[in-house]
Amino acid sequence: MTSNFEIQPIGRFFGQSAAIRRPREIACFSYDDKHQFLLDDSSIRYYYPPTLGANLSKGFDSFEKLNDAADDHLDSLLKTIIAHEQGLGKRIEADIITWRGMMTKFMAAIFSDRDGYFLEENHAYKLNSQARQSQQRPQLGYKFETLCLLPSTWDETPREYIENRENEIVNNHAQYCSVVRTGIGNTVMILGGEVDAVWDSKPSDDSPVNWIELKTSADIQNDRDMVAFERKLMKFWIQSFLLGVPKIIVGFRTPDGILKRIEEIETASIPSTVKRGKRTWDGNMCINFASALLDFLKATITGDGVWRIRRRERSSTIEVFRIEETGHGDIVSDDFINWRIKLAMNNT
């Protein structure tokens, strides 16, 4: 049996946004240069402005791209939650545990009819989507990140390294991943996602972190380009909003990949900027849509087994149906299940 959530009419999501719980980092983990999981913050990077005029295509032949053909499910996120709960001695309460990328798809669905999706993305669909996008030169974005990042704070980094970043081999294996507890409407979530850099340094207390999200875009030449950029801004905003990243730095490039200029954008300012511009989307509607969809999912997915959440390309219907009556389809690791059983027994 399939339950459906209709996206249209979207006007019902207009108005003041649903309640939002500020994202608070509760834990983190890293992948090193070989993409090995580490339960620490060793892969955190620091922002330092890039040199304008740099060629974002330089070094493409030596680009060490991560092979993500294997399906890692939620394993790294769940390992990190286990370690955090072991330290607390109690369970972290949440309705949903997933990757930030999955929630980005949910929030953007109201204004996008091109993305299909399957709170873990169907791996075969993901690989197919990446193959279709392979011609979009994603290495330009990774090159921009290399030009903007330092392994330590600027005062601890040799001048030679700072000035030689354009010649560094681009490698997207290493990542710092933040794990936050947040909420939209009636739904409490734990989200994990990569964070590109910190503006200054990460505070030792519970203060908000001055995270930075790095993005690239073709330079804006006309109204058509502005409309396209506004649409990009929706995903830029959602990705940063969900993890509590306050600032996005966009590198604008020429058609041949030369870094022309950079622009610093406050995440919180993006929805109002779009309202004053081409009005291609509305931030409050994204939040209200996500709130309603999450309520629907909690009311629908009430039994055991594995469920699929699907939106066919260019469809205005989100379908939810069970594909396995029992088990967890390897989405939830045995280690996590066993830990939660042990924790429940210890707390009885």
Side-chain angles (χ1 to χ4, degrees):
M1 178 179 174
T2 299
S3 298
N4 295 331
F5 180 89
E6 298 297 335
I7 297 174
Q8 298 291 343
I10 64 173
R12 70 187 193 275
F13 303 111
F14 185 78
Q16 184 175 352
S17 78
I20 300 164
R21 182 192 296 262
R22 178 179 72 84
R24 183 177 68 84
E25 185 177 81
I26 59 172
C28 66
F29 66 91
S30 295
Y31 293 114
D32 65 14
D33 288 338
K34 297 187 182 299
H35 204 65
Q36 296 300 305
F37 172 84
L38 299 169
L39 198 57
D40 58 28
D41 64 357
S42 57
S43 288
I44 196 169
R45 294 295 182 262
Y46 301 83
Y47 175 73
Y48 190 84
T51 301
L52 298 183
N55 185 351
L56 299 181
S57 299
K58 184 177 179 180
F60 171 64
D61 292 340
S62 60
F63 176 33
E64 297 178 354
K65 187 178 185 300
L66 174 67
N67 180 0
D68 57 358
D71 193 344
D72 294 330
H73 301 289
L74 300 172
D75 291 359
S76 296
L77 178 56
L78 298 181
K79 285 179 186 177
T80 307
I81 293 173
I82 290 172
H84 185 63
E85 291 181 341
Q86 286 173 338
L88 292 175
K90 64 179 182 179
R91 170 178 175 151
I92 310 169
E93 295 301 330
D95 299 304
I96 289 176
I97 298 173
T98 191
W99 295 114
R100 182 260 310 268
M102 194 69 257
M103 275 307 305
T104 299
K105 287 180 176 288
F106 280 5
M107 285 186 68
I110 184 174
F111 292 108
S112 174
D113 63 359
R114 294 181 181 274
D115 284 341
Y117 49 75
F118 291 86
L119 256 283
E120 174 187 270
E121 186 169 13
N122 179 271
H123 193 60
Y125 177 84
K126 176 183 174 182
L127 293 178
N128 184 52
S129 296
Q130 289 175 342
R132 288 187 296 173
Q133 295 168 6
S134 63
Q135 301 304 313
Q136 296 179 5
R137 304 169 73 192
Q139 71 275 8
L140 299 182
Y142 293 124
K143 181 68 174 184
F144 179 63
E145 290 180 12
T146 302
L147 293 172
C148 292
L149 301 180
L150 302 178
S152 303
T153 56
W154 71 270
D155 57 323
E156 296 177 338
T157 304
R159 185 180 184 87
E160 180 182 2
Y161 182 93
I162 295 175
E163 295 178 348
N164 194 52
R165 286 178 294 172
E166 189 173 357
N167 299 318
E168 286 287 312
I169 293 176
V170 179
N171 178 326
N172 69 331
H173 292 62
Q175 298 173 13
Y176 172 91
C177 295
S178 181
V179 178
V180 305
R181 189 167 185 264
T182 184
I184 296 177
N186 302 313
T187 303
V188 178
M189 300 175 288
I190 295 176
L191 304 179
E194 181 185 4
V195 176
D196 291 327
V198 64
W199 179 265
D200 39 27
S201 61
K202 186 178 175 181
S204 56
D205 57 17
D206 197 34
S207 303
V209 187
N210 290 322
W211 295 124
I212 295 293
E213 183 76 16
L214 299 170
K215 297 293 185 182
T216 57
S217 181
D219 200 23
I220 300 169
Q221 303 290 335
N222 49 48
D223 278 358
R224 182 177 178 180
D225 291 345
M226 179 55 74
V227 169
F229 182 64
E230 271 198 7
R231 288 176 176 155
K232 273 190 173 184
L233 276 178
M234 179 175 66
K235 287 195 175 180
F236 292 0
W237 170 71
I238 294 172
Q239 288 173 341
S240 297
F241 165 84
L242 287 172
L243 287 190
V245 177
K247 183 176 293 187
I248 303 165
I249 296 178
V250 182
F252 289 93
R253 52 177 170 77
T254 63
D256 53 352
I258 303 301
L259 182 61
K260 184 176 181 181
R261 63 187 177 92
I262 61 172
E263 183 175 341
E264 297 177 10
I265 303 173
E266 300 296 326
T267 303
S269 73
I270 292 177
S272 57
T273 298
V274 172
K275 281 186 177 181
R276 294 193 302 269
K278 302 298 181 180
R279 303 177 71 90
T280 53
W281 56 275
D282 181 280
N284 284 351
M285 292 178 72
C286 290
I287 294 170
N288 292 336
F289 171 80
S291 176
L293 176 57
L294 293 170
D295 285 346
F296 168 78
L297 293 178
K298 288 191 296 179
T300 302
I301 304 174
T302 56
D304 294 334
V306 179
W307 297 68
R308 177 159 292 173
I309 305 165
R310 181 176 66 192
R311 180 190 179 188
R312 300 179 189 274
E313 192 168 341
R314 300 191 183 280
S315 170
S316 63
T317 300
I318 294 173
E319 305 166 85
V320 180
F321 52 97
R322 183 157 32 198
I323 58 173
E324 296 178 23
E325 293 295 326
T326 60
H328 45 78
D330 293 328
I331 294 171
V332 181
S333 66
D334 288 339
D335 285 346
F336 186 77
I337 293 171
N338 292 335
W339 161 250
R340 282 291 178 88
I341 293 171
K342 180 180 178 181
L343 188 62
M345 292 175 63
N346 290 342
N347 291 332
T348 56

